[in-house]
Amino acid sequence: MQQLPYISALEAVRAVRSGDHVHLSSIASVPQILIEALCERAGELSGVHFHHFHTEGPAPYGSAAFAGSFLDQGFFVGPNLRASVREGVADYIPTNLFETQLMYRSGSLPCDVAMVQVSEPVNGMVSLGTSVDCSPAALEVARERMAVVNPQVPFAEGDLVPLDRFTALVRDDRPLITSTYASPSATDLEIGRRCAALIPDGACLQMGIGSMPNAICASLVSHKHLGLHTEMFSDGALALIRRGVIDGACKAIDKGKVVASFLLGSREVYDFIRENPQVQMRDIAYTNDPRVIARNPGMVSINSAIEIDLTGQVCADSIGTHIYSGAGGQLDFVRGAKLSKGGKAIIALASRTARGLSKIVPMLRPGAGVVTPRADVQWVVTEYGAVNLYGKSLQERARLLISIAHPEDREALERAAFERFNRAI
């Protein structure tokens, strides 16, 4: 096996052509050195498209300064690109995360160049570290395959890549981006308590990141033998792993293992996965496949919402017409959990926004995206209760959702339900 010589980032990106579609490894492990070099070439290029999960750190490829040269079309919109998408200089590809890899592998979405950040090699193999996501698919189909070899990227077990798959190698040693989350509010903690009450010992979990997932984790410290099969995890879940609450003992597949596709959190989280046989960092094709998810009994998915209407339609990606995030893996895990023996799919949200507006609404805002259709929704949890909409009629759903709305919003919601159904519910 002959290893390629390391070259400069500017030399590597000379292989990018006008009109190319470029995949970026994402979240905390964005190959910033290649992006910076490509921006130096912006005047020579036109119509270069970028695709990625949400990215942390600078995102010049999505700014108006490079319009014409670059067009960002992410699978998920993070805080660094929301304004650009709103202004129309960047765009969004609506998709469930499970299907991102399928788009590349099927050719539905071109992938000419893959730019990823990887660990230092071990026995000729490298790890994608904290962000595997759909990069394995991109590396299978791309014409140019560029790796930033960075000692800060942990060598994680799971889906590894042969070093000789790459057409260019660049070195960098900048630290991975870390993230901290606000302490859970009293509302978060109450929602966490109610979610934890729905989770039996031995369940297998999926949850996201942020103050509410951390609150849920804080309410699970007395549970036993939980598993973790998730698209991502952070410090809240790590605390449960260290306490032995999450041990994977009851999992039917990947028994005793923590399975994820990407991470965002503290340096402690990243260090935890380094050469840790307890953790498997896998292709999104595996972690988010509903058929794989369903193989673990007692699968419990916990996801959030921006708003939910009285029939159970869940908006989680936009505020009206303004894209806020993306569909993510919510529907992947809702469907997988429901197919799991004894599984539960939970949508957890505060009853009101920070501005005091009800998140349980008569109708979604005009232009709002439905991420989880009403035919798929199951449990909904707020700080005022937990209700199961599965198998319930429209009127029954409205009655249940109103019962967990903020008390000051219930009368208005009852009037809206009366207007909709022509009867008091």
Side-chain angles (χ1 to χ4, degrees):
M1 181 185 298
Q2 184 175 3
Q3 181 175 320
L4 293 171
Y6 287 98
I7 59 177
S8 71
L10 193 56
E11 186 177 354
V13 301
R14 288 197 185 112
V16 179
R17 307 169 187 168
S18 291
D20 274 350
H21 288 249
V22 178
H23 166 80
L24 301 176
S25 57
S26 307
I27 324 295
S29 194
V30 182
Q32 293 289 355
I33 193 171
L34 294 177
I35 292 168
E36 292 161 2
L38 198 54
C39 287
E40 291 185 39
R41 287 198 61 213
E44 309 165 26
L45 298 167
S46 64
V48 175
H49 297 65
F50 288 89
H51 310 298
H52 50 78
F53 288 17
H54 106 256
T55 57
E56 294 288 316
Y61 43 86
S63 69
F66 294 105
S69 297
F70 304 146
L71 175 60
D72 187 75
Q73 297 175 317
F75 302 125
F76 197 94
V77 179
N80 58 356
L81 283 162
R82 283 176 194 146
S84 296
V85 172
R86 184 172 295 191
E87 292 162 7
V89 296
D91 207 352
Y92 162 61
I93 297 178
T95 182
N96 299 310
L97 290 190
F98 168 63
E99 296 181 78
T100 55
Q101 54 80 30
L102 187 59
M103 289 180 178
Y104 285 157
R105 287 179 166 125
S106 69
S108 298
L109 182 68
C111 182
D112 305 294
V113 180
M115 295 180 174
V116 301
Q117 192 159 225
V118 302
S119 71
E120 291 187 300
V122 176
N123 297 323
M125 306 294 285
V126 294
S127 167
L128 290 156
T130 64
S131 190
V132 179
D133 57 75
C134 61
S135 291
L139 292 168
E140 288 172 17
V141 303
R143 179 191 77 243
E144 306 291 340
R145 301 174 296 279
M146 304 175 190
V148 177
V149 179
N150 187 338
Q152 304 282 346
V153 174
F155 188 96
E157 302 291 337
D159 288 323
L160 306 177
V161 182
L163 189 63
D164 62 6
R165 180 167 299 172
F166 295 99
T167 57
L169 299 178
V170 175
R171 290 201 70 92
D172 195 16
D173 62 357
R174 71 187 72 188
L176 302 184
I177 294 173
T178 58
S179 185
T180 56
Y181 304 98
S183 298
S185 66
T187 297
D188 292 334
L189 291 170
E190 180 59 22
I191 293 169
R193 186 185 69 78
R194 292 184 182 276
C195 287
L198 296 173
I199 299 170
D201 289 341
C204 186
L205 304 180
Q206 172 264 331
M207 63 182 74
I209 57 173
S211 60
M212 190 179 295
N214 284 346
I216 295 167
C217 288
S219 296
L220 291 170
V221 294
S222 297
H223 278 60
K224 296 181 176 64
H225 302 307
L226 298 179
L228 192 64
H229 180 109
T230 184
E231 61 197 13
M232 66 186 307
F233 72 88
S234 191
D235 293 77
L238 178 58
L240 293 180
I241 297 168
R242 292 203 183 281
R243 292 176 70 108
V245 174
I246 292 176
D247 63 8
C250 297
K251 295 177 75 175
I253 58 172
D254 305 308
K255 199 176 188 70
K257 306 287 187 183
V258 168
V259 175
S261 194
F262 51 93
L263 312 175
L264 180 61
S266 69
R267 184 75 220 185
E268 185 181 3
V269 175
Y270 306 158
D271 290 341
F272 176 73
I273 71 170
R274 188 183 293 272
E275 298 181 5
N276 186 344
Q278 185 182 0
V279 180
Q280 295 284 303
M281 297 298 294
R282 300 294 302 272
D283 186 334
I284 207 78
Y286 182 79
T287 61
N288 283 48
D289 186 336
R291 296 162 297 188
V292 173
I293 295 164
R295 290 172 64 189
N296 277 311
M299 188 73 209
V300 178
S301 70
I302 307 171
N303 290 281
S304 61
I306 291 172
E307 59 182 3
I308 181 170
D309 76 7
L310 288 177
T311 71
Q313 295 187 113
V314 175
C315 172
D317 66 349
S318 65
I319 301 172
T321 58
H322 297 304
I323 297 298
Y324 183 79
S325 54
Q330 182 171 126
L331 192 56
D332 299 336
F333 278 93
V334 164
R335 289 181 169 166
K338 286 169 57 185
L339 290 171
S340 162
K341 183 178 180 180
K344 294 172 183 167
I346 298 171
I347 301 294
L349 71 164
S351 65
R352 279 181 162 179
T353 69
R355 295 169 56 194
L357 302 176
S358 181
K359 290 189 176 185
I360 297 174
V361 295
M363 293 180 290
L364 300 182
R365 301 183 203 198
V370 176
V371 169
T372 297
R374 56 191 168 209
D376 285 287
V377 73
Q378 193 180 41
W379 285 92
V380 180
V381 177
T382 74
E383 70 271 30
Y384 292 104
V387 294
N388 188 354
L389 305 188
Y390 197 59
K392 301 297 191 294
S393 71
L394 295 180
Q395 293 178 28
E396 289 171 328
R397 287 161 177 252
R399 185 182 309 116
L400 289 168
L401 287 168
I402 291 170
S403 75
I404 61 169
H406 192 283
E408 294 177 8
D409 297 322
R410 293 175 190 174
E411 184 177 346
L413 291 170
E414 287 168 354
R415 287 197 301 269
F418 181 85
E419 292 173 5
R420 180 167 192 152
F421 301 116
N422 294 312
R423 57 171 294 183
I425 62 164

